[in-house]
Structures are given as structure tokens and as C-alpha cells.
Amino acid sequence: VYDTPIRQGKNVVVFGGGNVAMDAARTALRLGADSVTLAYRRTEAEMPARLAEVHHAKEEGVHILELVNPLEFIKGEDGFVSAVKLERMELGEPDASGRRRPIEVPGSEFDVDVDCVIMALGTSPNPLIKSTTKGLEINKKGGIVVNEDGLTSRENVYAGGDAVTGAATVILAMGAGKHAAKSIDEYIKSTVSYTHLTLPTK
């Protein structure tokens, strides 16, 4: 058994508006937080999370703070975050996603006292994969390029899930894993020669 410490905040802010942000906010409450605020740079109407997720989060006590964006995390005397500086936003014209683009409101900064911050923004693949793996082909969005078998540009290296497709569902990621496993199995069977071993007899 491993002792994995978890910093359980009492006054938590979660940045994001997707399903993961809702999960993080609800989990923080269940871990004992007194107050959980979900801060989002657009309004609740523009949140990408499923309506049911938003409903359940609010039902459990998550407070939603709309039209704000983080500017700075303020460190307390104990070395941990003690507050976050936010700025208010307003909605402009629709952007490429079809949602109205958030625009900063000059001079609208204000501080909120917190002792735990959870960032639930975006689902891009970890950039370390590209920078630490030579010969691995990456597309414009940072996803790993694979062929129809899940094989990457690196010999004998397979990939699947969000690191390839971008944000998708668990079901698709599981399917990609099974497909890659099948391809790996077929590759091993086609390249490895097996010899029959005779067990020694007494």
C-alpha cells in the first residue's frame, strides 16, 4: 500500500467548463471542501459540459462564477496558494468554435481567497511526448500520427486514444487500445519464430 498525499482544500476554485471540470468540482466537495467555485470565462450557456453534469454539480453545491479569467496565483506565507487574481470578461462576436469570444474588461481585476486551485482547461496531448521522443511524428494539433494499425512513426511503438485523436470519449480510447493490442499481437506472431521445447524427463 502506498501513501499518496492529497492536498484537500477547504476553499477550492476549479477553472474550466467541461465535463472534467464538473467532475473535479464535485470530487473536491466529496473530499471535504467547504466551498467549491467553478470559474469559467464564458457564461454557463456556453459551457461545453453536458447539461446533466452542470445540473448535478450545482445540485451538489458547486458555485459557478461566470465571465472571469485567471491573471495571477497569489502565494501565501506557507508557500501554497492563498488567493487568485481574476479579471472580468464580456462576450464579443463568435469565434471559430461558434461560441461568443470572451473579451477582457479593462480595470476589472479582483482577488478571491482560495487554498486550492484545479486547472481543468483543454485536453491537448502532453507536449513532453514530442520533445522527449525522437522520430515521433506529431500533427499540427500535437496529436501522435498513426497508421490504420495504430503504429506510430517509431518502430514497434503504437498509440491510441486522446493522444492521437484529441478530446474524445473513453469508449473510443478503449477501442483504440484493443485495436492496437490486436495489431501488436499480429506483428509478434508474424515476426517471432517459435521453437518447441522438450521438457526434461526424470
Side-chain angles (χ1 to χ4, degrees), residues 87-193:
E87 66 176 341
R88 297 197 182 278
M89 313 291 283
E90 60 184 10
L91 296 181
E93 295 300 316
D95 60 15
S97 71
R99 295 175 297 170
R100 294 176 64 189
R101 184 170 62 88
I103 301 172
E104 301 88 351
V105 177
S108 63
E109 297 86 355
F110 64 101
D111 293 348
V112 174
D113 293 335
V114 299
D115 60 5
C116 181
V117 175
I118 301 173
M119 304 299 288
L121 302 168
T123 51
S124 301
N126 191 328
L128 286 175
I129 297 174
K130 176 183 178 181
S131 62
T132 59
T133 312
K134 294 181 180 179
L136 188 66
E137 185 180 355
I138 304 293
N139 62 28
K140 292 180 180 179
K141 294 184 177 181
I144 301 171
V145 176
V146 300
N147 67 10
E148 63 276 6
D149 295 323
L151 179 64
T152 71
S153 55
R154 286 285 300 267
E155 184 180 5
N156 301 333
V157 176
Y158 292 75
D162 291 7
V164 172
T165 62
T169 65
V170 173
I171 295 298
L172 287 176
M174 291 172 63
K178 291 180 69 174
H179 181 68
K182 182 175 181 291
S183 298
I184 294 169
D185 182 60
E186 291 175 350
Y187 169 77
I188 292 173
K189 287 178 178 177
S190 66
T191 58
V192 177
S193 59

Side-chain angles (χ1 to χ4, degrees), residues 49-67:
R50 294 189 298 270
L51 291 177
E53 292 282 347
V54 178
H55 171 75
H56 291 311
K58 292 168 66 176
E59 191 175 56
E60 290 186 32
V62 174
H63 172 65
I64 295 179
L65 183 59
E66 302 177 321
L67 294 169

Side-chain angles (χ1 to χ4, degrees), residues 23-44:
D23 288 344
R26 295 169 69 185
T27 299
L29 278 175
R30 294 170 190 176
L31 286 173
D34 295 328
S35 171
V36 177
T37 299
L38 195 145
Y40 186 55
R41 62 181 185 159
R42 292 184 171 95
T43 69
E44 184 179 325

